[in-house]
C-alpha cells in the first residue's frame, strides 16, 4: 500500500526501464480510475432514477476511490524518478515539512484507503438495516445521521493515518526535500504495519462479511416464503432485485479482498523494502517485484468498481443511458427499483 514511493524503490536502482514501465502503468491506471469514478458520481447525481440512500453512499465511495487514484497520479508525476515531470524542492523549512509529511509520505494513500474501506462498510450497514431490520430503517438511518456518520468516517480516516506523517522528515540538503526518519529499532514500523492490517483491512472486511452473510440468509428466507405463498410477481421480483444488488456489492467486497490482500500483507511484513528490517527477504529482488505487482493490484481496486457497476448493476446501466442519451429519458419508470425502499 506504500504507493509509488515504494514502487520507486522496487525498480529505480537496478532496472530503470522496468521502473519507468511500472510507473507509467500506475499513472495510466490512476487516470482511468479518476475518469471511471467521476462518471459514477455524475450519473448518480444527474439521474433522478438513482436518487436514493444506497446510491448516494456509492457516490461517497466513488469519491474516496477517485481521490486515491488522484494521489496515485500525483505521486507518479511528482516523486517517481522515472515519471516525474518536475523536480520540485521547497525552499523554506515550513514548505519542506508540509511537502515531506503530507505529500511524499504515505499519509494520503492510507487516509484515502481508510475512507474507501469504511465507506464500503457504510454501504453495507445501510443494506443490512434495510433488509434485516426494515422496520427500524426509517428511525435509525435518517439523512442527518448518515451525514454525521460519513463525516466521522472521513475524520477517522485522516486521524488513523497520522502515524504515517513520521516516516519522512525535511532534509538538511538544500537540493533534497525529504529524508527517511531513522529509528533506533523497527518497533515503530512493525506496530504501524500491524495497526494498518487490522484497522484498514481485517476489521472492515470481517464486519462486512458478517453483514452480507446475515443479508443473504434473510433474502433467501424471504424468497422461499414468497414462493410458498404464491405471492404476486411484483413482490417476488422485488426480492430478486434486492438479491442482485447485494450480489453486486458482494462482488465489490470480493474484489477489494483479492486486490488488497497482497499489498496489505506485504506492508504488514515489510513496511520498507530494505534488508535492514526484521525480515531479511524484504530487501530481496523477488520481494521487490512482488511489491510492485501488489501496488498495481491495490490501486486497481479503485478502478474496477465502476466496471462492476456497469456489468452487474442494472439500475446504473439504465441511469447511464438516461444521462447520456435523450432517447432513454422516458424509460425506467415501470421497472422495479433495485436500490429499493427497505419495506
Amino acid at each position: 500500500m506504500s504507493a509509488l514511493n515504494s514502487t520507486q524503490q522496487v525498480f529505480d536502482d537496478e532496472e530503470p526501464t522496468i521502473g519507468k514501465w511500472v510507473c507509467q502503468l500506475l499513472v495510466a491506471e490512476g487516470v482511468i480510475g479518476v475518469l471511471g469514478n467521476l462518471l459514477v458520481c455524475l450519473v448518480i447525481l444527474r439521474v433522478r432514477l438513482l436518487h436514493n440512500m444506497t446510491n448516494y453512499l456509492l457516490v461517497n465511495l466513488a469519491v474516496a476511490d477517485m481521490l486515491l487514484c488522484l494521489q496515485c497520479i500525483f505521486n507518479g508525476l511528482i516523486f517517481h524518478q522515472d515519471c516525474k515531470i518536475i523536480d520540485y524542492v521547497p525552499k523554506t523549512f515550513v514548505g519542506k515539512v508540509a511537502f515531506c509529511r503530507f505529500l511524499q509520505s504515505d499519509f494520503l494513500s492510507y487516509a484515502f484507503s481508510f475512507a474507501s474501506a469504511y465507506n464500503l462498510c457504510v454501504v453495507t450497514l445501510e443494506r443490512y438495516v434495510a433488509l434485516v431490520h426494515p422496520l427500524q430503517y426509517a428511525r435509525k438511518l435518517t439523512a442527518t445521521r448518515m451525514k454525521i456518520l460519513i463525516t466521522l468516517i472521513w475524520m477517522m480516516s485522516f486521524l488513523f493515518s497520522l502515524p504515517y506523517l513520521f516516516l519522512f522528515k525535511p532534509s538538511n540538503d538544500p537540493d533534497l526535500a525529504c529524508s527517511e526518519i531513522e529509528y533506533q529499532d523497527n518497533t515503530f514500523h512493525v506496530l504501524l504495519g500491524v495497526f494498518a492490517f487490522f484497522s484498514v483491512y481485517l476489521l472492515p472486511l470481517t464486519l462486512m462479511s458478517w453483514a452480507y452473510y446475515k443479508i443473504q440468509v434473510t433474502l433467501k428466507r424471504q424468497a422461499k416464503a414468497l414462493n410458498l405463498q404464491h405471492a404476486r410477481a411484483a413482490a417476488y421480483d422485488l426480492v430478486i432485485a434486492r438479491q442482485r444488488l447485494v450480489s453486486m456489492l458482494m462482488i465489490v467486497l470480493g474484489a477489494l479482498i483479492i486486490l488488497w490482500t497482497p499489498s496489505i500483507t506485504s506492508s504488514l511484513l515489510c513496511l520498507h523494502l530494505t534488508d535492514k528490517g526484521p525480515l531479511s527477504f524484504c530487501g530481496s529482488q523477488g520481494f521487490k517485484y512482488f511489491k510492485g505487482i501488489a501496488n498495481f493490484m491495490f490501486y486497481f481496486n479503485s478502478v474496477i468498481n465502476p466496471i462492476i457497476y456497469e456489468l452487474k448493476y442494472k439500475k446504473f446501466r439504465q441511469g447511464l443511458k438516461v444521462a447520456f442519451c435523450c432517447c432513454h429519458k422516458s424509460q425506467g419508470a415501470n421497472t422495479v427499483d433495485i436500490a429499493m425502499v427497505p419495506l
Side-chain angles (χ1 to χ4, degrees):
M1 183 188 300
S2 44
L4 293 175
N5 296 328
S6 296
T7 308
Q8 180 177 348
Q9 298 175 28
V10 173
F11 300 106
D12 280 353
D13 294 336
E14 298 184 14
E15 297 189 47
T17 56
I18 296 180
K20 186 173 183 179
W21 178 78
V22 171
C23 171
Q24 292 175 344
L25 189 61
L26 284 168
V27 171
E29 183 181 45
V31 172
I32 296 172
V34 169
L35 295 177
N37 286 288
L38 182 61
L39 177 65
V40 171
C41 296
L42 292 176
V43 169
I44 293 178
L45 295 178
R46 183 177 179 181
V47 180
R48 183 169 299 182
L49 181 71
L50 299 175
H51 288 183
N52 53 59
M53 181 71 75
T54 303
N55 290 327
Y56 287 145
L57 295 177
L58 289 179
V59 168
N60 197 53
L61 175 61
V63 169
D65 285 335
M66 182 169 60
L67 290 175
L68 186 59
C69 291
L70 278 173
Q71 185 266 344
C72 177
I73 298 171
F74 179 82
N75 271 2
L77 297 180
I78 301 299
F79 298 123
H80 199 287
Q81 188 65 36
D82 290 319
C83 287
K84 63 181 181 180
I85 56 177
I86 60 173
D87 192 8
Y88 175 71
V89 177
K91 300 301 181 182
T92 64
F93 177 78
V94 175
K96 281 191 174 184
V97 170
F99 187 80
C100 298
R101 301 289 193 184
F102 292 95
L103 299 181
Q104 188 162 347
S105 71
D106 294 331
F107 173 74
L108 291 178
S109 175
Y110 275 90
F112 296 145
S113 300
F114 274 108
S116 180
Y118 283 98
N119 277 315
L120 186 55
C121 273
V122 174
V123 177
T124 304
L125 171 66
E126 189 271 341
R127 284 294 86 198
Y128 173 80
V129 176
L131 301 177
V132 180
H133 303 288
L135 298 179
Q136 303 177 30
Y137 183 91
R139 179 173 59 87
K140 288 188 174 182
L141 299 187
T142 63
T144 300
R145 287 184 177 181
M146 295 305 291
K147 290 177 182 178
I148 293 174
L149 180 59
I150 293 300
T151 302
L152 289 175
I153 289 295
W154 281 97
M155 292 175 62
M156 289 173 55
S157 298
F158 284 93
L159 181 63
F160 285 173
S161 302
L162 288 179
Y164 292 92
L165 296 177
F166 302 98
L167 295 179
F168 291 92
K169 63 181 180 180
S171 174
N172 295 324
D173 186 345
D175 298 324
L176 186 65
C178 310
S179 61
E180 185 178 338
I181 298 177
E182 295 184 4
Y183 294 93
Q184 293 182 350
D185 54 47
N186 291 295
T187 303
F188 176 75
H189 290 165
V190 171
L191 292 177
L192 201 55
V194 172
F195 172 76
F197 179 80
F198 281 97
S199 58
V200 77
Y201 180 75
L202 190 60
L203 178 60
L205 296 190
T206 301
L207 293 175
M208 285 186 285
S209 298
W210 176 83
Y212 282 127
Y213 168 76
K214 299 291 289 185
I215 290 172
Q216 287 287 51
V217 170
T218 301
L219 289 177
K220 288 180 180 179
R221 185 172 62 247
Q222 291 176 354
K224 184 177 180 180
L226 289 173
N227 192 32
L228 291 175
Q229 296 170 9
H230 302 287
R232 291 182 304 171
Y236 188 77
D237 288 345
L238 196 61
V239 174
I240 298 301
R242 290 178 172 182
Q243 289 178 331
R244 289 173 180 170
L245 176 61
V246 171
S247 297
M248 184 272 292
L249 293 175
M250 290 180 67
I251 292 174
V252 173
L253 174 60
L256 185 145
I257 294 174
I258 294 172
L259 295 173
W260 276 24
T261 297
S263 182
I264 293 291
T265 303
S266 63
S267 295
L268 174 64
L269 297 176
C270 308
L271 187 63
H272 290 292
L273 304 183
T274 173
D275 53 8
K276 298 179 181 179
L279 299 175
S280 60
F281 68 84
C282 294
S284 67
Q285 191 66 24
F287 184 82
K288 291 178 182 180
Y289 281 106
F290 172 78
K291 185 66 176 179
I293 296 172
N295 282 338
F296 175 83
M297 293 175 63
F298 177 82
Y299 284 111
F300 188 66
N301 179 74
S302 297
V303 178
I304 200 173
N305 284 347
I307 300 174
I308 295 175
Y309 300 154
E310 171 63 23
L311 296 177
K312 302 297 294 184
Y313 194 0
K314 181 179 178 181
K315 212 66 171 179
F316 180 78
R317 292 199 300 270
Q318 293 174 347
L320 194 62
K321 294 176 182 178
V322 171
F324 296 100
C325 182
C326 297
C327 60
H328 288 88
K329 288 188 176 181
S330 61
Q331 297 182 8
N334 298 322
T335 58
V336 176
D337 189 353
I338 279 185
M340 297 175 321
V341 295
L343 301 179

